[in-house]
Amino acid sequence: MKIGYGHMGTLTMVVELLLEELGHEPVVPHRPTRQTLALGAKYAPEFACIPFKIVLGTYLECLERGADTLLSGGGYGPCRAGMYGEVHGRILRDLGYNPQVIFLFPPLIKPYHFFKKVSLLKGRCSWFHLARAIRKAWTKLTFLDQMELLSQTKRPRELTRGATSKAFERGLTYLHQAKSLNEIIEAGHAALAELDQVPVDPAADPLKVGIIGEIYVQLEPFANHYIEETLGHLGVEVRRSIYLTSYTRHDVLSTKGDMSSRSLAMPYLNQKIGGHGQNSVGDVIRYAKLGYNGVVQLAPFSCIPEIVAKSLMPYLSKKYGIPVLTLFIDEQTGPTGIQTRLEAFVDLMEQRRAQTREGARMQTGSAV
Amino acid sequence: MGMPRALFYYTYYPLWKAFVEALGAEAVSSGPTNKETLDAGIRETVNDACIPIKLYHGHVLDLKDRVDYLFVPRLVSPGGSYTYCPKFLGLPDMIRHAGMELPPLIDTRLNLRGLPGGLNRFLRATAAALDFRNPFTQARAMRHALKQYALYQELLLGGLHPQRVFEALERGASLEELKGEALAAPPDRPAEEGLRVALLGYPYIVFDPFVSADVYHRLKHMGAAVLTTEQVPASAMRRMSRVLPQNCFWHYSNRVCWAALYYIERKAVDGIIHLTAYACGPDAMVDKILELEAKKAKLPYLTLTIDEHTGTGGVQTRIEAFVDMLQARQEKRLKEAAS
Ligand code: SF4
Ligand code: SF4
């Protein structure tokens, strides 16, 4: 099968590896561009969330490049992601394409369904082979997460602007070429070493910001207008509430979600509302408790769970004393708009930090 | 106990009112939606919320100084694997933290998934929250309320507009009196003469004359018979739920899809109008499904999106054009049949 799929940050490369291992021919999606989005937006319902549009655009590009099957994933309700496959399929068929759409639900919610789909993908490979492929993919995933973490730490401290991003890209090519387990491990270490060598300013004192919100816009840099890089270059050390490995553990291999942030959210939002709505509420509290300087909530325009979460933000922000910036993203959102809002937000956090430090100094001063 | 006239109010008000009153408390509704309710709601909510949610806030504001308790239940699941729109799931939390000065909220959870008797448990919990703990009083009130509810559903099925029912209830009339107005059988056969339009959408939009620019009555004035989701019998809904390869997760959205499938299958309508709220999450999916189904059935289809600024003028022109087009189609068909 020639399989196309959606592009989601570094996950793209891992899916490619898995499909190759299983003997398929992956039609690896290109990084989405303005054209991709425009293409998706043209055929998607107007108020579909932006991930839906980007992914639809990507599918169309894959189909043009000869894909005959599309692989789609998504939570099983109550949010829209659970219907992506179905509605994408309908739209594509209406346009005259006829791809086979393989829709993967999380294994524990629809075990039989999942098993059937995996068997289909597995084709003639043995289960042993599949297990080995998964192990490779997992190793790659772990390295990719580590690289992201390291680059997030490095970027606000780098001496030459852009050096971290360049090293990161080089690292990605290393990992991309690695196919066997040993190669992957080697490439992973080499990639981390690249990042390690980026010279930094030891005196840098970056602000810390947590990025929370909906998964696709968090993980796909195109969708969030490269917010990690933008913030990094503004001298901010970021952390995301979702990394691929943690997501896999919490949301794919379990039905419960990230309990640590969900239990924090309980007093304020005592109900699972789909997507990462409840996580967003809990994550704000978590980052506040960890002493972060601020939180950026990312969400697609019209994203239902994040709207619910956002309506609690003013209250939480006041209660826990942490500034929150919510960015709703749609196809009209431009990079400059985001840049200005982020700059203003960074200024605000700087001021707050200066104030608290001032306050602390005065206190110790008077104690002396 | 105050009940905001928005969202699930249209589905459940007669049930809740009967129940609360049988317990010995008073049920107070907010007034019909007007410009003030809407403006107040817009002021109180995040600007990304959909109109129905904003309206709900508006109605809460309208009520809050007149009541001892506010009834803001959390509707979780209507049964099966379905849920309500995530905004319903988070509603009490949104209301509570919106920064309004409010009387105590009663946010009983309605979850009909799993064990049977969910509705009864819900009602008992509500009674307990109001401090009516006598199980016999509870049971009596419950029996009475469920009877009223069944009656209400029957009236809706017969094509009565919910507002008509609410007015009667406010007057103190009983639902029995309205029975004469309801149609006996659901109108499910093709129309020989006169137009039939399916006006589909969530009850809290379709039946709110203010936000929907009263499309319902406008269509009627143009001489079309209007069919809504409420006129589809429950058994037909269940049957339709097995038609689509994958249903939605959300109760009200499913009802819209299934009603559309039903009317299409029965060839009961000449056209479909989908009334949807600006930036409604679920409707982005629903609208596409309806559009494609209507296309398959070669039925004219119109999406009307309403938002804060929907002018009545624009709506009027659009539905006039649509109805004219349907009329032309019908005339053509009749002529062909005659020749
Ligand atoms: S969580 Fe938000 S972006 Fe994701 S499917 Fe749901 S509405 Fe769309
Ligand atoms: S279904 Fe749509 S209109 Fe209704 S509450 Fe949800 S988002 Fe709003």
Side-chain angles (χ1 to χ4, degrees):
Chain A
M1 289 188 275
K2 294 177 89 168
I3 305 185
Y5 52 97
H7 191 282
M8 183 157 95
T10 48
L11 183 64
T12 314
M13 177 194 297
V14 181
V15 177
E16 176 187 352
L17 174 83
L18 266 175
L19 291 177
E20 270 175 3
E21 284 290 318
L22 297 179
H24 301 295
E25 192 182 324
V27 181
V28 184
H30 299 313
R31 286 192 189 174
T33 59
R34 291 250 121 215
Q35 278 85 6
T36 320
L37 177 56
L39 192 61
K42 188 162 155 204
Y43 299 110
E46 185 185 354
F47 297 119
C49 22
I50 200 156
F52 183 95
K53 294 180 181 170
I54 300 182
V55 173
L56 181 62
T58 313
Y59 284 164
L60 285 165
E61 287 176 353
C62 289
L63 289 170
E64 280 307 319
R65 286 164 53 216
D68 55 20
T69 305
L70 295 173
L71 183 64
S72 166
Y76 187 76
C79 203
R80 284 185 276 182
M83 296 193 65
Y84 271 21
E86 170 69 18
V87 179
H88 276 142
R90 276 171 181 259
I91 294 176
L92 293 173
R93 279 194 295 277
D94 186 54
L95 290 175
Y97 293 98
N98 205 1
Q100 180 185 14
V101 182
I102 302 185
F103 197 74
L104 289 177
F105 287 123
L108 295 184
I109 299 183
K110 297 229 142 187
Y112 178 65
H113 187 278
F114 184 76
F115 175 76
K116 262 198 338 210
K117 295 290 154 94
V118 170
S119 311
L120 186 69
L121 278 176
K122 184 175 75 77
R124 279 196 305 276
C125 297
S126 67
W127 287 100
F128 176 71
H129 193 84
L130 177 69
R132 219 175 41 190
I134 290 179
R135 174 139 176 254
K136 277 189 204 171
W138 183 257
T139 317
K140 226 181 213 193
L141 218 52
T142 319
F143 274 117
L144 286 168
D145 272 359
Q146 282 178 10
M147 280 168 62
E148 289 203 314
L149 279 168
L150 189 55
S151 67
Q152 288 164 351
T153 314
K154 285 274 181 173
R155 202 170 279 126
R157 297 179 168 86
E158 68 194 4
L159 285 174
T160 19
R161 189 188 158 108
T164 314
S165 301
K166 276 202 202 103
F168 185 74
E169 289 295 328
R170 271 201 300 279
L172 286 185
T173 46
Y174 297 167
L175 265 180
H176 188 205
Q177 285 155 7
K179 300 290 170 196
S180 75
L181 192 56
N182 281 338
E183 277 170 15
I184 292 174
I185 294 175
E186 245 166 59
H189 284 299
L192 287 174
E194 279 279 350
L195 278 169
D196 237 353
Q197 278 154 19
V198 173
V200 291
D201 173 7
D205 180 17
L207 292 162
K208 284 201 96 172
V209 165
I211 296 181
I212 63 170
E214 194 272 340
I215 178 166
Y216 188 87
V217 285
Q218 270 200 47
L219 292 183
E220 174 52 53
F222 168 73
N224 62 36
H225 296 276
Y226 303 91
I227 190 171
E228 285 184 29
E229 246 182 288
T230 315
L231 279 174
H233 290 155
L234 289 172
V236 176
E237 181 170 355
V238 299
R239 286 288 180 266
R240 287 197 314 253
S241 65
I242 304 176
Y243 290 89
L244 281 170
T245 43
S246 67
Y247 176 71
T248 316
R249 264 185 278 118
H250 294 309
D251 295 276
V252 182
L253 299 179
S254 132
T255 50
K256 292 216 182 65
D258 186 346
M259 275 320 283
S260 59
S261 54
R262 285 195 46 215
S263 57
L264 281 174
M266 281 303 177
Y268 310 100
L269 183 58
N270 182 11
Q271 170 67 43
K272 222 174 141 180
I273 54 170
H276 284 84
Q278 212 181 9
N279 299 47
S280 289
V281 170
D283 288 333
V284 176
I285 305 174
R286 187 153 54 91
Y287 284 127
K289 289 195 167 156
L290 288 173
Y292 276 53
N293 302 93
V295 165
V296 177
Q297 183 197 11
L298 285 178
F301 176 71
S302 90
C303 169
I304 323 168
E306 297 300 332
I307 288 177
V308 177
K310 188 196 169 183
S311 65
L312 302 183
M313 288 302 162
Y315 174 81
L316 292 173
S317 165
K318 204 147 106 213
K319 172 151 188 188
Y320 288 92
I322 186 165
V324 179
L325 172 70
T326 305
L327 295 175
F328 276 100
I329 298 174
D330 67 5
E331 59 264 40
Q332 267 104 44
T333 316
T336 34
I338 296 234
Q339 173 91 22
T340 0
R341 293 190 61 190
L342 288 178
E343 277 168 12
F345 190 60
V346 169
D347 282 346
L348 174 94
M349 288 186 297
E350 290 277 16
Q351 270 171 22
R352 280 180 61 115
R353 179 163 76 169
Q355 268 166 15
T356 30
R357 282 188 181 163
E358 187 72 11
R361 214 178 19 249
M362 300 255 285
Q363 261 181 1
T364 42
S366 58
V368 168
Chain B
M1 176 145 91
M3 303 185 185
R5 190 188 290 257
L7 301 182
F8 34 69
Y9 181 92
Y10 293 86
T11 314
Y12 283 121
Y13 175 62
L15 168 71
W16 291 339
K17 178 181 161 71
F19 182 65
V20 171
E21 289 182 349
L23 285 174
E26 193 189 342
V28 182
S29 293
S30 54
T33 308
N34 53 31
K35 183 104 185 39
E36 274 141 54
T37 342
L38 182 60
D39 288 345
I42 294 172
R43 246 182 292 117
E44 288 304 321
T45 35
V46 285
N47 45 7
D48 315 273
C50 56
I51 295 204
I53 292 290
K54 289 182 182 168
L55 269 185
Y56 196 89
H57 285 71
H59 282 282
V60 166
L61 282 177
D62 178 45
L63 268 177
K64 71 181 174 74
D65 299 325
R66 297 194 268 138
V67 296
D68 304 313
Y69 294 98
L70 259 180
F71 191 41
V72 187
R74 191 193 298 278
L75 270 62
V76 177
S77 168
S81 58
Y82 307 120
T83 69
Y84 288 90
C85 167
K87 285 182 196 162
F88 283 52
L89 302 183
L91 189 66
D93 307 293
M94 288 170 103
I95 297 291
R96 191 169 284 136
H97 299 298
M100 306 182 264
E101 292 276 318
L102 294 181
L105 294 195
I106 295 186
D107 62 348
T108 347
R109 180 184 295 244
L110 177 63
N111 188 350
L112 304 186
R113 179 180 295 173
L115 291 175
L119 191 54
N120 290 14
R121 255 176 286 134
F122 169 79
L123 290 176
R124 278 190 196 281
T126 309
L130 282 170
D131 220 15
F132 291 100
R133 293 183 191 280
N134 183 336
F136 297 105
T137 325
Q138 283 181 3
R140 198 156 20 85
M142 223 143 60
R143 263 201 310 279
H144 171 66
L146 289 173
K147 219 185 291 157
Q148 292 296 307
Y149 184 47
L151 213 52
Y152 177 56
Q153 287 179 318
E154 209 177 294
L155 292 176
L156 290 187
L157 194 61
L160 242 65
H161 195 292
Q163 298 289 7
R164 178 89 188 78
V165 180
F166 301 158
E167 273 161 29
L169 284 175
E170 244 105 271
R171 264 191 284 118
S174 86
L175 295 182
E176 301 281 350
E177 291 168 29
L178 290 172
K179 263 180 135 173
E181 288 180 36
L183 303 168
D188 62 351
R189 270 170 308 277
E192 254 100 61
E193 56 194 80
L195 284 183
R196 283 209 179 144
V197 180
L199 178 62
L200 303 179
Y202 305 128
Y204 45 86
I205 299 176
V206 173
F207 297 130
D208 186 324
F210 187 81
V211 278
S212 67
D214 211 3
V215 175
Y216 184 92
H217 285 110
R218 275 169 206 274
L219 283 171
K220 287 214 148 161
H221 287 312
M222 291 175 200
V226 185
L227 299 183
T228 65
T229 49
E230 306 307 315
Q231 276 140 283
V232 181
S235 57
M237 284 284 189
R238 271 197 298 281
R239 195 157 50 78
M240 290 305 146
S241 72
R242 292 189 288 269
V243 174
L244 288 177
Q246 189 192 338
N247 283 314
C248 303
F249 304 109
W250 320 286
H251 174 66
Y252 283 115
S253 312
N254 274 327
R255 289 181 56 88
V256 171
C257 292
W258 298 339
L261 291 174
Y262 175 73
Y263 289 134
I264 290 175
E265 185 204 71
R266 295 279 167 136
K267 300 205 172 43
V269 294
D270 303 287
I272 298 179
I273 298 183
H274 183 209
L275 203 54
T276 154
Y278 177 79
C280 163
D283 268 355
M285 303 284 133
V286 173
D287 191 51
K288 199 74 204 176
I289 295 176
L290 292 195
E291 184 195 320
L292 295 176
E293 289 293 337
K295 194 168 166 189
K296 248 197 313 197
K298 303 213 171 52
L299 265 188
Y301 178 76
L302 173 72
T303 308
L304 279 181
T305 308
I306 53 154
D307 65 15
E308 279 107 87
H309 320 293
T310 308
T312 43
V315 171
Q316 179 74 13
T317 357
R318 291 195 63 196
I319 50 180
E320 257 170 26
F322 188 69
V323 168
D324 283 348
M325 189 257 290
L326 294 185
Q327 235 137 22
R329 267 174 61 111
Q330 197 183 37
E331 270 159 32
K332 192 162 145 243
R333 206 180 50 229
L334 288 178
K335 237 184 254 152
E336 271 166 21
S339 64

